[in-house]
Amino acid sequence: MKTFYPKKQLSKESKGEQVLAELRMRIISREVKAGTVLSENQLGALFDVSRSPVREALRVLASENLVRSERMGAVVVGISEKNIEEIYDVRLMVESFTFERLLMMQTDALVQELRKTLEMMEIAIKYKDVDQFSFLDLEFHETVIKYIDHHHIMMLWTNLRPVLECLIILSMRYRMITDEKDFERVLYNHELIVEAIDKKEKNLVDLAFERNFHDVHNQVEPIWAEEEMMKTVREYSAKE
């Protein structure tokens, strides 16, 4: 079976987590269209698992508003551009709050950790491992959010992350296909974030923040307007 979610990321996960991650990616990347009815028996056969992990995966996807439960099975809701904008709105609020807190904190350890992650991001792009780059990008931002040690902010991020992860993977694959050199700018934007945290200069923090989120919005949107491009993007790593 062709998979669209990065396989190596799931090598240590349970069958249920593998089913969930792959189903989520198929729905978000529109491999499975809105309105499709998903039955536990059909999915169990497709993924070669019992109905139990399928049932749990559908329950989680329903909580993420990607499917809705009906009598005949789970109906795919999918994700709209409005949904995507709202997800990034929440991300913006979470990270904006986080950056404000960091201005008042000792951040030497954080800066050191972020620089290590940046080095790994550079290596990933050197070897054109765009999916690994995507996970490192998420790790970079999650490290920043964790550092302020705010329980409810972390809850928001944890709820947001699974769908956001798919959006970032698709966005980065799109960038690799259409404009590989643009990763130089992406890396620079992340370097600017580290510098802003290190120096605690409000203007620099605002600049780093604006560049990073402006970048995300501009790169995600074109994918959703072109079905053929989305097909190319979701299958990018399936060539392995």
Side-chain angles (χ1 to χ4, degrees):
M1 179 185 71
K2 181 185 289 185
T3 58
F4 303 105
Y5 187 89
K7 284 182 180 179
K8 63 183 179 182
Q9 189 69 19
L10 296 173
S11 60
K12 297 179 182 178
E13 299 293 340
S14 67
K15 273 287 188 180
E17 288 296 325
Q18 292 177 33
V19 171
L20 173 59
E22 181 61 23
L23 263 180
R24 184 187 289 116
M25 179 61 91
R26 286 177 177 233
I27 291 169
I28 291 174
S29 69
R30 298 178 179 169
E31 167 68 11
V32 180
K33 306 295 185 187
T36 302
V37 179
L38 304 174
S39 79
E40 292 178 9
N41 288 335
Q42 289 173 332
L43 291 174
L46 177 65
F47 289 103
D48 192 24
V49 296
S50 67
R51 290 175 62 182
S52 179
V54 170
R55 190 178 301 119
E56 176 59 19
L58 292 176
R59 185 193 66 76
V60 174
L61 293 173
S63 73
E64 296 170 353
N65 298 315
L66 295 174
V67 305
R68 67 175 183 272
S69 298
E70 294 193 0
R71 282 178 121 185
M72 74 288 283
V75 179
V76 174
V77 175
I79 190 165
S80 66
E81 290 188 36
K82 182 176 183 294
N83 297 147
I84 296 168
E85 288 172 4
E86 289 176 357
I87 287 166
Y88 281 118
D89 284 343
V90 176
R91 180 184 179 185
L92 183 66
M93 287 189 293
V94 167
E95 296 207 44
S96 177
F97 178 89
T98 300
F99 272 63
E100 289 294 329
R101 282 292 177 95
L102 288 173
L103 288 172
M104 302 178 287
M105 297 174 65
Q106 170 57 250
T107 55
D108 290 351
L110 173 62
V111 167
Q112 187 174 2
E113 190 169 354
L114 293 178
R115 283 181 174 147
K116 288 178 182 177
T117 305
L118 256 178
E119 288 175 7
M120 291 188 287
M121 290 169 73
E122 290 169 358
I123 292 169
I125 286 305
K126 179 181 178 181
Y127 290 99
K128 298 187 178 184
D129 191 342
V130 67
D131 288 343
Q132 178 64 11
F133 182 91
S134 300
F135 290 115
L136 288 167
D137 185 356
L138 268 168
E139 181 183 321
F140 180 99
H141 291 276
E142 186 166 298
T143 299
V144 175
I145 294 165
K146 281 181 176 177
Y147 197 80
I148 67 169
D149 193 24
H150 192 294
H151 178 70
H152 288 280
I153 287 292
M154 199 62 212
M155 282 176 60
L156 282 173
W157 173 259
T158 301
N159 289 334
L160 195 68
R161 175 167 174 150
V163 173
L164 182 62
E165 179 180 88
C166 291
L167 295 176
I168 289 175
I169 290 168
L170 293 169
S171 173
M172 294 302 178
R173 288 179 184 174
Y174 173 78
R175 182 179 278 106
M176 180 61 77
I177 292 167
T178 60
D179 188 7
E180 184 181 339
K181 283 187 68 64
D182 197 45
F183 279 98
E184 294 175 9
R185 182 170 59 88
V186 177
L187 287 167
Y188 173 76
N189 288 347
H190 283 74
E191 289 168 2
L192 194 60
I193 288 173
V194 178
E195 184 183 356
I197 293 171
D198 189 24
K199 293 183 176 178
K200 293 190 177 56
E201 293 179 7
K202 182 67 167 60
N203 291 341
L204 192 55
V205 167
D206 291 343
L207 176 63
F209 196 70
E210 189 278 331
R211 283 191 178 179
N212 188 63
F213 281 92
H214 182 266
D215 177 74
V216 168
H217 277 290
N218 282 351
Q219 291 301 323
V220 171
E221 290 174 1
I223 307 172
W224 309 96
E226 304 172 29
E227 190 169 335
E228 280 303 308
M229 176 55 77
M230 177 59 83
K231 182 176 186 293
T232 302
V233 167
R234 70 171 168 257
E235 293 183 354
Y236 182 80
S237 69
K239 297 173 185 176
E240 296 175 355

